[in-house]
Amino acid sequence: MSEILSGKVISEQMAGELAKKIIGLKISPKLVIVQVGNNEASNKYIEYKKKFAEKIGVQIVHKKYDEKVDEKTLISDIKKYNTDTSVHGIIVQLPISKNLNKSKVIESIDPKKDVDGLTSSSIKKLFDNEPGFVSATTKGILKILDHKKINLAGKKVVVVGRSSLVGKPTALALMNRNATVTICHSQTKNLEEETKRADILIVAIGKPKMITKKFVSLGQIVIDVGITVELDESKKKVVGDVDFENVKNIVQAISLVPGGVGPLTVACLFENVVLACL
Ligand code: NDP
């Protein structure tokens, strides 16, 4: 029977530590969440972020725009928050409408307030292995591994997925921790040969239960980042990218979905907000 890696307990510990730090800061941290449209998953993520913020004492300003919002208005509003000294962090909840230039909108965030670590300035720092804001999901993945006290140096890590939001920053962060990293994607040939070779397998593809037992091997640590909401007998259910029930009997350890990387992503976002206040 493999070890089940939960993110909930670590996230609760982090909430306690962050709340204490915030009391010590003697200022009230403020995070602006910019949302465009009414994406159901985004609404849920924002709800979790608001709950966590309330628990630790961070103020949230939730700016929700119509999906037809004009790019100039959006960017001009973000720039106002850049100069507002009462605001410490700004995030753009993705996805945003296709008619907007995503990188232009993200680039308009002041790198000092880029708590999602998505501006080119933050990515360059990660690229150069310099301190800076790292994507909350990447930090969440590292928290699970650190909690298990895994020394990443020399470990074979396979990351399936190469998005700018998850796959690429995670691969870079792991390389910065001296892991030997392989990145796989939809064009990878013989994916299962690659994934089976890993000591640590990280999956972020958005394809529910795609990683079945034929993709894994004995002794591996599997981190499932995937979140897909499926209808199960008319009830909504969150499903990961890994076929948990069948994989859990083979590998050494596997993260939960829900309750694995998800809660840690939220906690790590607020860790970045606190860093932005220092
Ligand atoms: P994207 O759709 O941006 O990227 C998906 C990646 O998976 C792409 O690189 C794609 O390859 C690759 N891929 C797709 N199909 C396959 C396949 N059959 N075999 C191998 N690779 C494949 O998704 P995100 O990175 O934004 O998100 C991935 C998942 O993680 C989603 O379920 C999302 O909801 C979840 N997520 C979870 C978070 C959390 O906090 N737990 C936070 C953010 C995301 P290619 O580049 O070739 O197209």
Side-chain angles (χ1 to χ4, degrees), residues 113-177:
K113 300 188 179 184
D114 174 29
V115 288
D116 249 348
L118 293 178
T119 61
S120 53
S121 164
S122 299
I123 289 165
K124 171 83 168 54
K125 285 186 177 147
L126 180 62
F127 201 90
D128 292 339
N129 197 10
E130 281 173 5
F133 294 119
V134 175
S135 135
T137 309
T138 294
K139 282 182 93 170
I141 294 167
L142 291 174
K143 288 272 179 213
I144 293 196
L145 296 171
D146 288 343
H147 193 74
K148 261 192 74 63
K149 298 197 167 39
I150 293 167
N151 178 9
L152 287 163
K155 290 279 184 319
K156 274 185 252 150
V157 183
V158 173
V159 180
V160 190
R162 58 173 165 182
S163 70
S164 305
L165 189 65
V166 188
K168 282 179 190 155
T170 302
L172 278 170
L174 289 160
M175 197 162 52
N176 289 345
R177 300 273 291 264

Side-chain angles (χ1 to χ4, degrees), residues 196-212:
K196 275 180 149 172
R197 259 201 290 264
D199 298 318
I200 300 167
L201 175 62
I202 296 170
V203 190
I205 50 182
K207 296 272 151 72
K209 295 188 186 172
M210 199 200 95
I211 300 300
T212 56

